[in-house]
Amino acid sequence: MDQSTEHDFDFLIGNWRVQHRRLRERMAGSVDWEIFDGTSATVRTLGGLGNLEDNLINLPGGSYRALALRSFDARTRQWAIWWLDGRHPHSIDVPVIGGFERGVGSFFASDTLDGQPIRVRFLWSETDSASPMWEQAFSADSGTTWETNWSMRFIRQL
């Protein structure tokens, strides 16, 4: 990921309408997807070495707010991404760490789901378009296989 720079997330700065697609159950063999909308607004922080993404997520059972905080380490040329769910305001997720190569961002972390160890992967793609895509996947076998469980299609708002 040595191609990463502090400008990798410049494509995301601004206001967005978001189309979400999420598995109802994760790591359970589910094929039942729920589709819902949301909004997102991203601003630069840390003098350009970071950004903050404010989300409104309109789940079928009720809306909530969430934040993504991203920071770039110029020494390692890697990004860290943290997620804060407004329904649990005193708990921030472990950061996924990674970067971009040929316009695709790949970020990874070790975490747990229902007490079991998992690997987490975030992928950013189509970052050179007016509607970039983010996907989250989990792996229970150290990354040999992945279950994509959430995707977000961003549509720029003017």
Side-chain angles (χ1 to χ4, degrees):
M1 299 290 158
D2 59 1
Q3 296 180 2
S4 281
T5 75
E6 66 271 17
H7 298 288
D8 287 338
F9 281 101
D10 286 358
F11 71 90
L12 197 56
I13 304 303
N15 298 311
W16 303 87
R17 183 170 55 87
V18 183
Q19 298 170 336
H20 295 264
R21 184 173 182 259
R22 186 179 80 160
L23 275 180
R24 289 189 191 274
E25 293 183 73
R26 297 176 185 166
M27 304 303 289
S30 176
V31 294
D32 188 15
W33 291 89
E34 52 189 355
I35 297 171
F36 49 95
D37 68 355
T39 60
S40 176
T42 302
V43 296
R44 284 184 180 83
T45 60
L46 299 172
L49 293 176
N51 60 67
L52 185 66
E53 176 187 324
D54 186 17
N55 294 277
L56 173 62
I57 300 171
N58 297 317
L59 284 174
S63 298
Y64 73 98
R65 304 296 302 217
L67 291 175
L69 171 64
R70 300 179 189 91
S71 65
F72 182 71
D73 184 333
R75 184 182 52 78
T76 64
R77 309 204 65 72
Q78 289 190 311
W79 285 90
I81 305 171
W82 291 266
W83 183 254
L84 176 62
D85 183 325
R87 299 168 299 179
H88 311 284
H90 295 169
S91 177
I92 194 164
D93 287 354
V94 298
V96 291
I97 308 291
F100 283 79
E101 191 168 339
R102 295 181 192 88
V104 175
S106 301
F107 306 87
F108 299 90
S110 295
D111 204 349
T112 60
L113 179 68
D114 300 326
Q116 299 301 311
I118 61 168
R119 289 288 290 162
V120 177
R121 179 183 72 196
F122 288 3
L123 288 180
W124 278 98
S125 61
E126 303 175 48
T127 59
D128 60 348
S129 76
S131 55
M133 175 71 86
W134 171 88
E135 294 180 356
Q136 173 181 272
F138 293 166
S139 173
D141 57 14
S142 301
T144 300
T145 61
W146 293 94
E147 175 191 82
T148 299
N149 56 54
W150 197 326
S151 66
M152 297 166 67
R153 170 71 66 185
F154 289 73
I155 298 99
R156 185 168 296 281
Q157 302 296 287
L158 300 177

